[in-house]
Amino acid sequence: MRAKKIERELVQILGEENVSSDVGDLIPFERDDQFALVPPHRPDIVVMPSTREEVQEILKLANRHKVPVVPLASGINRKGLCIASKGGILLDLRRMNRILEINEEMMTATIEPGVSFGQLVKEARKKGFRVITPYAPSTASVLANYMLRGIYGTATRYGIDHLINIEVVLPDGAILQTGSAAFNQSLPYCNIVNGPDLCKLFQANPGTLGVVTKGVIRLYEMPEVIEPLIALYPDYASMVEPSIEMTRRNLVASCWPMMFTGAAMKILTDFMEEDIYMMWLYLEGDRGQVERDKEAVEKITERYNGFFLPEVPMLDRDTMIKDQIWERTSVKGWKGGNMYGCSFYGVMKSVTRYYEVTREISKRHGFDAFHYESVPVAPFHGQLTYNDPCIFWDASDTEQVKEIREIHEEIKRSLVDIGIYGWFRPFPSVVDTSKLGRYGEMWRKIKELIDPNAIMNPGKPPL
Amino acid sequence: MKEVKIMKNDEKKRVREMMLSDYLGEFYHCFHCHLCTVADWHSLDRWLPICPTFAYYGFESFSAAGKVEIARALVEREINDVTPRIAQIIFSCTGCGACFEQCRELTGFKANHTEIFEDLKENLVERGHALPKHIGFAKSIEENHNPYYEPHEARFEWLEEGLAKDEGVVYFAGCTSSYREQQIAKSTVRSLDAADIPFRVLEEDEWCCGSPLLRTGQREKAKETARHNVEAIKKTGAKTVITSCAGCYRVLKSDYPKLLGLRRLAFDVVHSSQFFTSLIDEGKVKFDDKIDMTATYHDPCHIGRHMGVYGEPVYEEPRKVLEEIGVDIVEMPRNRENAWCCGSGGGVKSAFPDFSLWTAGERVKEAESVGVDTIVTSCPFCVRNLTDAVEESGKPFKVYDLSEILSEALK
């Protein structure tokens, strides 16, 4: 009865064509490929607003009825973040896909949450700008990715902070502008206002504090030259020092030390079957700078017993350059069927241990197709490094599902024992606020303050 | 060429009945990246949609990923009752195969979406959810051997007397060219005649190829037409069947062997564009007077992407014929593997006419964007829908089948 009433009210707000409680429209949202770690659950209704005002009305309604709301930006759900664990309204924001402004003077883009990287890259390029793209398919939402702090091809030089301001509809329907937009909405290009940067407060909260309806992001000059290089090394440890040196000297835009087992290479290439330790490097800038950087990078590589591949059979140069500008081939990691990852931030000097322990766990559980990557991130103070131990597996095999659950717990424990900065994203399967002391308490209090009825994406951190 | 049998009837039935559930493992490998909804931006350097159904309806359920989840839920009996909305979601797929084209090189999803969605349609038909329009044309095929409710005896009324012989290749005209787009059939036989190629037609023995049935989940009904047509062609003793219909081409060449449990048929099937390309290559056809025309070429899904999966895609042959004739081809951004569907396939034109027309309208706009006023294609159903969209737009656009241009050039 209540559900029908809510549906009628939603139809009044959005029109029949943008509301559905039909099982056919709900099934596609009930799980993602990490269902082993976050149980599937179906929303009760899916709605597709196209304006901020509609979002406001939906949240007011949900708050009044104390109904959960799960925002989903461009339709890509990762690691259970947008599973409607307690049912409710799935807020599909794909129709809010307008690029509101590309400001050449300010080097910014103002966009809605449904704007994908591919869409923005295309428009930004028309004005000579580049969007920093994540290692994710270009169908991903720019704002969702920046809000949840993705890992970017160019993180070694440009870091992971590309968001300036956001506009958020709070659970009670009120609108919050962060940064300079709070003071002067005609000048929303700065994250500094009189007090703290509230944009950062909302970052890494997976739709648990409100709904982002607009954001101002940073654009960058397109480099004259992008030069991809692939260097091979004898083992993982050999890649650590050169990574540190290249990053500290700002020689490379991207530095991706990686390891693939033979089994993983077989899946990815169909013909290579050897364990491989490789470093993807992208040099960028004007021609002169790239030449100078290349010379320095070659010397460092040689010094640490690395050598460059003249060509890569499974990955041509053009594809690599295009991937650096707008991703497409990142999904090849799923070629084995499914890919488990337990990404986190750690210290570059410790990556060999992270790698060894996670590989050992994977091997012990019978998963030979393993991959590891560790990416130095700017600013590199504290040797900030993104890490991701990945296992190729098959989610359709119930035995493997069980194994993956066990592996996940072991990997988490082992990494904490070695010492890491924290988990990459607020994935429900890794974040435990009870282990975060006062910080965890404060995080939960902030959540209670902003969302007292706990309608926003319940079941996600902070739990 | 000898017909090769590979399966007994009961084996075929078992395989068919297990088909949707056989994909279950693969259903778990789709991680909803949605690359299947966008044309290959690496090769195009543009960001353009590729799935008409998802672009039009917008809900996740209409994307390939959404339909895969629905299929999984049906197989795992999470859904027992098929709602009208589910029927709309599944039957509004044009079956263009663009999703699989984008997905197959990149991800670990190894099944063919087009096959899954056709099996899904069949699953719904078996549960009693066939759409009235589809039931209607199936009945017409049963009674009249065509889906247009036209009398069977009128099938070859378009054929000028004296053109067809009792020998040579078989020209399989297909229903749309026989009853609706007769200029295509007429042009094709005129071209064969002009090239001194003896041909015959099956006359009353040509039945609907079964494409409308296969593409709407009515596979069982298509078997009878397949058996009949194969037998009729065999009786002629012809070793080659030519068709100017993209739908018939795919069905005859690729679906018939599978439907009938054969490894190969006793005859070869070629699309008219392939046939004339061979004649050009062999120097048997020359175009002394070139045609002065600038046009874009629309790749039909049935001879393009679909045949890229089941054999060799027919992308270059139509273009080669056009170039030989003198047509200056200006490509649309989405061409060949990345072609945007015309919107008429999969039973969509009859069941969802507004969506179908919108899809064709998008293609016409794309053609317009490259500065041409003429679209050439190689499929009577594409011709029909694109022409409908042109008429709807009121723009002075022209839509031709390749056979019409060819026939004009051979005059």
Side-chain angles (χ1 to χ4, degrees), chain B residues 358-378:
Chain B
W358 173 84
T359 307
E362 291 298 296
R363 194 56 162 164
V364 174
K365 281 185 208 162
E366 189 173 358
E368 202 176 6
S369 76
V370 296
V372 299
D373 64 359
T374 304
I375 303 175
V376 182
T377 185
S378 303

Short mmCIF file of all heavy atoms in Angstrom, two decimals, chain B residues 358-378:
data_model
loop_
_atom_site.label_atom_id
_atom_site.label_comp_id
_atom_site.label_asym_id
_atom_site.label_seq_id
_atom_site.Cartn_x
_atom_site.Cartn_y
_atom_site.Cartn_z
N TRP B 358 12.37 6.07 -35.15
CA TRP B 358 13.36 6.96 -34.50
C TRP B 358 14.77 6.50 -34.84
O TRP B 358 15.65 7.30 -35.16
CB TRP B 358 13.14 6.94 -32.98
CG TRP B 358 14.21 7.67 -32.23
CD1 TRP B 358 14.28 9.01 -31.99
CD2 TRP B 358 15.43 7.12 -31.67
NE1 TRP B 358 15.42 9.32 -31.30
CE2 TRP B 358 16.15 8.19 -31.08
CE3 TRP B 358 15.95 5.83 -31.59
CZ2 TRP B 358 17.37 7.99 -30.44
CZ3 TRP B 358 17.17 5.65 -30.94
CH2 TRP B 358 17.87 6.71 -30.37
N THR B 359 14.97 5.18 -34.76
CA THR B 359 16.31 4.63 -35.02
C THR B 359 16.75 4.94 -36.45
O THR B 359 17.90 5.35 -36.68
CB THR B 359 16.30 3.10 -34.77
OG1 THR B 359 15.78 2.86 -33.47
CG2 THR B 359 17.69 2.51 -34.89
N ALA B 360 15.84 4.75 -37.39
CA ALA B 360 16.17 5.05 -38.79
C ALA B 360 16.41 6.55 -38.95
O ALA B 360 17.31 6.98 -39.70
CB ALA B 360 15.05 4.58 -39.70
N GLY B 361 15.63 7.34 -38.23
CA GLY B 361 15.79 8.80 -38.31
C GLY B 361 17.17 9.23 -37.85
O GLY B 361 17.79 10.14 -38.42
N GLU B 362 17.69 8.56 -36.81
CA GLU B 362 19.04 8.87 -36.33
C GLU B 362 20.08 8.58 -37.41
O GLU B 362 21.07 9.29 -37.56
CB GLU B 362 19.35 8.03 -35.08
CG GLU B 362 18.57 8.41 -33.86
CD GLU B 362 18.85 9.83 -33.40
OE1 GLU B 362 19.99 10.10 -33.03
OE2 GLU B 362 17.92 10.67 -33.44
N ARG B 363 19.82 7.51 -38.17
CA ARG B 363 20.77 7.16 -39.23
C ARG B 363 20.71 8.19 -40.35
O ARG B 363 21.76 8.56 -40.92
CB ARG B 363 20.41 5.77 -39.78
CG ARG B 363 21.48 5.13 -40.65
CD ARG B 363 22.81 5.02 -39.94
NE ARG B 363 23.72 4.07 -40.56
CZ ARG B 363 25.02 4.04 -40.30
NH1 ARG B 363 25.55 4.90 -39.45
NH2 ARG B 363 25.79 3.14 -40.88
N VAL B 364 19.52 8.64 -40.67
CA VAL B 364 19.38 9.65 -41.72
C VAL B 364 20.10 10.93 -41.30
O VAL B 364 20.81 11.57 -42.09
CB VAL B 364 17.89 9.91 -42.05
CG1 VAL B 364 17.75 11.06 -43.04
CG2 VAL B 364 17.24 8.64 -42.61
N LYS B 365 19.95 11.28 -40.02
CA LYS B 365 20.65 12.49 -39.52
C LYS B 365 22.16 12.32 -39.64
O LYS B 365 22.88 13.27 -39.98
CB LYS B 365 20.30 12.71 -38.04
CG LYS B 365 18.95 13.34 -37.80
CD LYS B 365 18.81 13.61 -36.29
CE LYS B 365 17.35 13.58 -35.89
NZ LYS B 365 17.16 13.41 -34.45
N GLU B 366 22.62 11.12 -39.38
CA GLU B 366 24.07 10.87 -39.48
C GLU B 366 24.53 11.01 -40.93
O GLU B 366 25.60 11.58 -41.19
CB GLU B 366 24.40 9.47 -38.94
CG GLU B 366 25.89 9.22 -38.81
CD GLU B 366 26.21 7.89 -38.13
OE1 GLU B 366 25.27 7.18 -37.71
OE2 GLU B 366 27.40 7.57 -38.02
N ALA B 367 23.72 10.50 -41.84
CA ALA B 367 24.05 10.64 -43.25
C ALA B 367 24.08 12.11 -43.64
O ALA B 367 24.99 12.59 -44.35
CB ALA B 367 23.03 9.88 -44.10
N GLU B 368 23.12 12.83 -43.15
CA GLU B 368 23.04 14.27 -43.45
C GLU B 368 24.27 14.99 -42.91
O GLU B 368 24.79 15.92 -43.53
CB GLU B 368 21.77 14.81 -42.78
CG GLU B 368 21.27 16.10 -43.38
CD GLU B 368 19.95 16.53 -42.73
OE1 GLU B 368 19.51 15.91 -41.75
OE2 GLU B 368 19.38 17.51 -43.24
N SER B 369 24.76 14.53 -41.76
CA SER B 369 25.90 15.20 -41.12
C SER B 369 27.18 15.10 -41.94
O SER B 369 28.12 15.87 -41.71
CB SER B 369 26.13 14.63 -39.72
OG SER B 369 26.76 13.36 -39.79
N VAL B 370 27.24 14.14 -42.86
CA VAL B 370 28.47 14.05 -43.67
C VAL B 370 28.27 14.72 -45.03
O VAL B 370 29.11 14.59 -45.94
CB VAL B 370 28.95 12.58 -43.85
CG1 VAL B 370 29.34 11.99 -42.51
CG2 VAL B 370 27.91 11.70 -44.55
N GLY B 371 27.18 15.43 -45.18
CA GLY B 371 27.00 16.30 -46.35
C GLY B 371 26.50 15.61 -47.59
O GLY B 371 26.73 16.12 -48.70
N VAL B 372 25.82 14.49 -47.45
CA VAL B 372 25.26 13.83 -48.64
C VAL B 372 23.74 13.88 -48.57
O VAL B 372 23.16 14.17 -47.52
CB VAL B 372 25.72 12.36 -48.76
CG1 VAL B 372 27.23 12.28 -48.88
CG2 VAL B 372 25.25 11.54 -47.56
N ASP B 373 23.11 13.60 -49.70
CA ASP B 373 21.65 13.53 -49.69
C ASP B 373 21.17 12.17 -50.19
O ASP B 373 20.01 11.99 -50.55
CB ASP B 373 21.03 14.67 -50.51
CG ASP B 373 21.39 14.56 -51.98
OD1 ASP B 373 22.13 13.62 -52.36
OD2 ASP B 373 20.92 15.41 -52.75
N THR B 374 22.10 11.21 -50.25
CA THR B 374 21.75 9.89 -50.75
C THR B 374 22.36 8.80 -49.86
O THR B 374 23.55 8.87 -49.54
CB THR B 374 22.27 9.70 -52.19
OG1 THR B 374 21.75 10.77 -52.99
CG2 THR B 374 21.85 8.37 -52.77
N ILE B 375 21.51 7.84 -49.50
CA ILE B 375 22.00 6.67 -48.77
C ILE B 375 21.82 5.45 -49.66
O ILE B 375 20.73 5.25 -50.22
CB ILE B 375 21.21 6.42 -47.47
CG1 ILE B 375 21.25 7.65 -46.57
CG2 ILE B 375 21.76 5.20 -46.72
CD1 ILE B 375 20.39 7.51 -45.31
N VAL B 376 22.87 4.66 -49.79
CA VAL B 376 22.76 3.39 -50.49
C VAL B 376 22.97 2.28 -49.47
O VAL B 376 23.83 2.40 -48.59
CB VAL B 376 23.80 3.27 -51.62
CG1 VAL B 376 23.62 1.95 -52.37
CG2 VAL B 376 23.72 4.44 -52.58
N THR B 377 22.19 1.23 -49.60
CA THR B 377 22.38 0.10 -48.71
C THR B 377 22.17 -1.19 -49.49
O THR B 377 21.98 -1.14 -50.73
CB THR B 377 21.44 0.21 -47.48
OG1 THR B 377 21.75 -0.84 -46.57
CG2 THR B 377 19.98 0.17 -47.87
N SER B 378 22.22 -2.32 -48.82
CA SER B 378 22.10 -3.61 -49.52
C SER B 378 21.08 -4.50 -48.84
O SER B 378 21.31 -5.69 -48.67
CB SER B 378 23.46 -4.33 -49.53
OG SER B 378 24.44 -3.54 -50.10
#
